[in-house]
């Protein structure tokens, strides 16, 4: 029986509503919390691991492919996993305000969890490079948004200095509690599959998530909840690939704005994950990202944001290197509704405009 079923079974047995308690309560023994920690949660986690047969068919050779769809977290991205920990610990330390730099998802998550915990949230975003869906979230949650003339890396430099000089808690992934929360996705994958996958494919921006997954896989392996460790396969957009090129990218460019980061703060942790797991870093083009993005939606009914599709694009680029009968998990980090403009600009749908309001005309348009 999976951990998720074990947790909700007592509620079901009493006839009560089945309740997932959120990550901190679900994985408390594996997290740096105590009875004094005020848990700030939106019941994040327990996101589905979905088989994607159309992707598996492209690879063949008995390979099984799943996507870990973290776009179904409360604010629509994996950031909620880290933010429940970061905000809970900030509250425990009597912090009254938090700050972050963001390409969008971090700002949305930080704002939501800050308000949930009765705290103020300040976010710095690069002007013109945040998808509308993400900006809308930060605003409606009540964060104070500061749009700067510069990219994400410039914004991150400012917020790091702010947290050093002023009484405000930084909640970017340089905050160690963020990665503690994010590692729980690895636990969930093993709980669902019964073991670790052979490959874990994941997009990389600031490289906190690949670092967190590796931490989680190693911890479960140490506690004998998994018999093996996966290869960590990290993918970046070719116009924003500092880890692939092993250098800082001063002006990163990509359609996948969530990973448009030229100087990742978790560089060393990510490189360590690659080396320890005998994994690989690889760049994929924007065209390859969009192809995977459209394939997931049109073939599998899974709508992710562009950056998420980098994991599938990378897998397909390496399909000839996958061993027979492997089990692969691709991480989808965010929901497609985060970036509606990308969806409108990149699809193969038929969209009939201004059709006459008449049954016969509509039927004819439909091909009847």
């Amino acid at each position: 029986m999976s951990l998720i079923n074990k947790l909700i079974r007592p509620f079901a047995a009493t006839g009560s509503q089945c309740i997932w308690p959120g990550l901190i309560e679900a994985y408390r023994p594996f997290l740096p919390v105590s009875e004094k920690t005020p848990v700030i949660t939106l019941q994040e986690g327990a996101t589905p691991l979905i088989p994607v047969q159309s992707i598996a068919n492209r690879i063949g050779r008995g390979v099984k492919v799943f996507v870990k769809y973290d776009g179904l977290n409360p604010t629509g991205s994996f950031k909620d996993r880290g933010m429940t920990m970061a905000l809970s610990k900030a509250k425990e330390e009597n912090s009254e305000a938090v700050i972050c730099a963001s390409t969008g998802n971090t700002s949305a998550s930080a704002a939501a969890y800050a308000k949930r915990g009765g705290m103020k949230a300040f976010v710095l975003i690069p002007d013109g490079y945040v998808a509308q869906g993400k900006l809308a979230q930060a605003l409606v949650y009540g964060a104070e948004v500061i749009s700067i003339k510069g990219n994400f890396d410039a914004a991150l430099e400012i917020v790091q200095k702010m947290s050093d000089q002023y009484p405000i808690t930084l909640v970017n992934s340089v905050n160690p509690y963020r990665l503690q929360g994010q590692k729980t996705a690895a636990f969930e994958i093993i709980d669902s599959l019964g073991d670790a996958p052979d490959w874990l494919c994941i997009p990389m921006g600031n490289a906190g998530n690949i670092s967190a997954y590796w931490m989680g896989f190693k911890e479960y392996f140490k506690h004998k909840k998994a018999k093996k460790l996966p290869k960590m396969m990290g993918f970046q957009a070719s116009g924003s690939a500092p880890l692939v090129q092993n250098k800082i990218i001063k002006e990163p460019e990509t359609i996948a704005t969530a990973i448009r980061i030229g100087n990742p703060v978790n560089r060393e942790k990510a490189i360590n994950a690659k080396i320890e797991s005998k994994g690989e870093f690889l760049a994929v083009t924007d065209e390859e990202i969009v192809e995977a993005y459209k394939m997931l939606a049109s073939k599998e009914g899974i709508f992710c944001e562009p950056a998420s599709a980098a994991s599938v694009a990378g897998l397909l680029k390496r399909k000839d290197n996958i061993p027979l009968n492997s089990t692969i998990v691709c991480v989808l980090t965010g929901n497609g509704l985060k970036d509606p403009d990308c969806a409108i600009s990149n699809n193969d749908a038929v969209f009939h405009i201004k059709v006459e309001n008449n049954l016969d005309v509509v039927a004819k348009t439909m091909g009847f």
Side-chain angles (χ1 to χ4, degrees):
M1 183 186 296
S2 73
L3 176 61
I4 292 173
N5 286 334
K6 288 179 181 177
L7 284 164
I8 67 174
R9 190 183 179 93
F11 295 97
T14 61
S16 302
Q17 182 180 4
C18 295
I19 298 173
W20 166 255
L23 295 181
I24 292 177
E25 295 303 336
Y27 294 105
R28 180 175 281 272
F30 296 91
L31 296 170
V33 293
S34 69
E35 294 303 318
K36 296 180 180 179
T37 307
V39 176
I40 299 171
T41 182
L42 289 165
Q43 272 65 55
E44 60 294 313
T47 56
L49 189 66
I50 307 171
V52 282
Q53 192 59 46
S54 65
I55 309 299
N57 289 344
R58 287 206 170 196
I59 299 168
R61 303 194 307 282
V63 172
K64 296 178 182 178
V65 183
F66 299 83
V67 293
K68 180 62 171 169
Y69 190 22
D70 255 1
L72 293 184
N73 273 301
T75 75
S77 87
F78 77 97
K79 304 288 187 175
D80 296 346
R81 292 183 178 276
M83 219 55 77
T84 184
M85 275 296 303
L87 270 293
S88 294
K89 296 300 286 188
K91 189 75 171 179
E92 182 179 0
E93 295 162 4
N94 298 313
S95 179
E96 296 181 357
V98 299
I99 191 169
C100 68
S102 181
T103 55
N105 283 330
T106 299
S107 66
S109 187
Y113 281 81
K115 295 304 175 177
R116 184 75 169 175
M119 303 164 71
K120 293 190 70 174
F122 296 87
V123 301
L124 268 68
I125 62 173
D127 185 48
Y129 286 97
V130 173
Q132 291 297 299
K134 302 173 188 180
L135 177 59
Q137 285 182 283
L139 294 171
V140 78
Y141 292 139
E144 290 196 34
V145 179
I146 302 167
S147 175
I148 68 161
K149 297 177 181 178
N151 60 25
F152 169 84
D153 301 299
L156 182 60
E157 183 178 353
I158 291 174
V159 298
Q160 287 179 302
K161 291 178 179 177
M162 284 288 300
S163 65
D164 287 339
Q165 298 177 29
Y166 297 93
I168 191 166
T169 300
L170 180 62
V171 293
N172 280 101
S173 59
V174 68
N175 181 318
Y177 298 119
R178 277 279 308 277
L179 303 193
Q180 287 289 325
Q182 287 167 215
K183 74 183 181 183
T184 60
F187 299 164
E188 289 180 15
I189 289 171
I190 293 172
D191 287 338
S192 295
L193 293 177
D195 203 349
D198 296 295
W199 284 18
L200 190 284
C201 299
I202 189 167
M204 296 189 300
N206 228 0
N209 215 24
I210 189 171
S211 307
Y213 267 88
W214 185 236
M215 185 192 311
F217 283 126
K218 287 197 299 181
E219 285 189 24
Y220 249 31
F221 181 76
K222 179 181 177 180
H223 286 85
K224 302 187 186 308
K225 291 180 175 290
K227 300 180 182 68
K228 61 185 178 184
L229 290 166
K231 286 183 180 291
M232 302 298 288
M233 306 293 289
F235 301 106
Q236 295 190 295
S238 56
S240 179
L243 288 166
V244 177
Q245 298 180 31
N246 195 29
K247 67 178 184 179
I248 294 172
I249 307 297
K250 292 184 178 180
E251 296 295 335
E253 290 292 343
T254 174
I255 191 173
T257 55
I259 54 174
R260 185 181 174 272
I261 294 171
N263 187 19
V265 296
N266 295 290
R267 175 188 297 271
E268 295 307 318
K269 291 187 182 74
I271 291 172
N272 183 62
K274 181 186 74 168
I275 293 171
E276 287 187 356
S277 72
K278 298 180 175 59
E280 184 180 358
F281 292 165
L282 186 71
V284 289
T285 66
D286 278 5
E287 291 75 19
E288 288 166 334
I289 289 172
V290 169
E291 181 185 358
Y293 168 81
K294 290 163 61 176
M295 186 188 313
L296 284 164
S298 64
K299 302 296 185 184
E300 298 289 350
I302 300 170
F303 186 24
C304 65
E305 68 171 315
S308 294
S311 62
V312 173
L315 173 65
L316 292 174
K317 198 163 188 171
R318 275 291 178 263
K319 66 180 182 178
D320 294 335
N321 301 91
I322 301 170
L324 292 172
N325 303 315
S326 295
T327 297
I328 314 291
V329 173
C330 295
V331 178
L332 302 185
T333 48
N335 196 295
L337 291 173
K338 294 279 191 171
D339 192 349
D341 290 343
C342 182
I344 291 169
S345 301
N346 295 280
N347 66 80
D348 297 321
V350 177
F351 187 6
H352 300 285
I353 300 173
K354 295 182 180 179
V355 175
E356 186 179 341
N357 183 19
N358 176 277
L359 175 61
D360 292 336
V361 174
V362 171
K364 183 177 181 181
T365 300
M366 294 171 64
F368 291 109

